[in-house]
Amino acid sequence: MAELTSMKNIGKELERKLNAIGIDSSEKLITSGAKQTFLSLKERYPQVCLVHLYALEGAISNIEFNELPESKKQELKEFSDFLKK
C-alpha cells in the first residue's frame, strides 16, 4: 500500500485527517473517490473547504490541484455548494 503523502497534494496534515476517517493508503483514497472522501472529511472536520476537495481529486488524478481542468473544478464546486444547503 502506498503512503498517502506519496500522492500529489497530500501533506502531513491532510494525511492525518484522512487517517482519522479510515483512509490510510492511496488505494483506499482512490477506491473511496474524492467526493465521498470529502463528504466524510466534512462530517468530521466541518472547516474543510473546496480546496481540500480539489486536492483530493488532484491526488487521485495524479496532478496538482490547480491544474485540474476547469470543467472538473466546476463540477466539484457544484458538489461542495450542494453540501452547504
Side-chain angles (χ1 to χ4, degrees):
M1 288 194 286
E3 289 186 29
L4 288 165
T5 54
S6 69
M7 301 176 82
K8 291 186 186 303
N9 311 311
I10 308 292
K12 288 290 184 188
E13 182 61 21
L14 185 49
E15 178 186 49
R16 182 186 66 75
K17 289 177 178 172
L18 290 169
N19 287 337
I21 62 164
I23 306 286
D24 59 4
S25 69
S26 58
E27 292 84 1
K28 285 185 181 177
L29 176 56
I30 291 166
T31 299
S32 178
K35 290 178 182 177
Q36 182 58 49
T37 301
F38 181 73
L39 184 58
S40 297
L41 281 172
K42 196 83 169 147
E43 289 172 356
R44 176 121 184 197
Y45 303 100
Q47 77 279 15
V48 295
C49 65
L50 180 60
V51 174
H52 290 88
L53 181 54
Y54 288 171
L56 294 169
E57 183 65 35
I60 291 168
S61 301
N62 195 33
I63 59 174
E64 297 295 331
F65 75 90
N66 56 354
E67 294 177 4
L68 287 169
E70 286 304 316
S71 60
K72 179 55 79 172
K73 287 181 183 177
Q74 184 60 37
E75 173 192 331
L76 296 172
K77 183 177 183 333
E78 288 172 8
F79 177 76
S80 176
D81 289 347
F82 175 78
L83 295 178
K84 293 177 186 176
K85 295 178 182 175

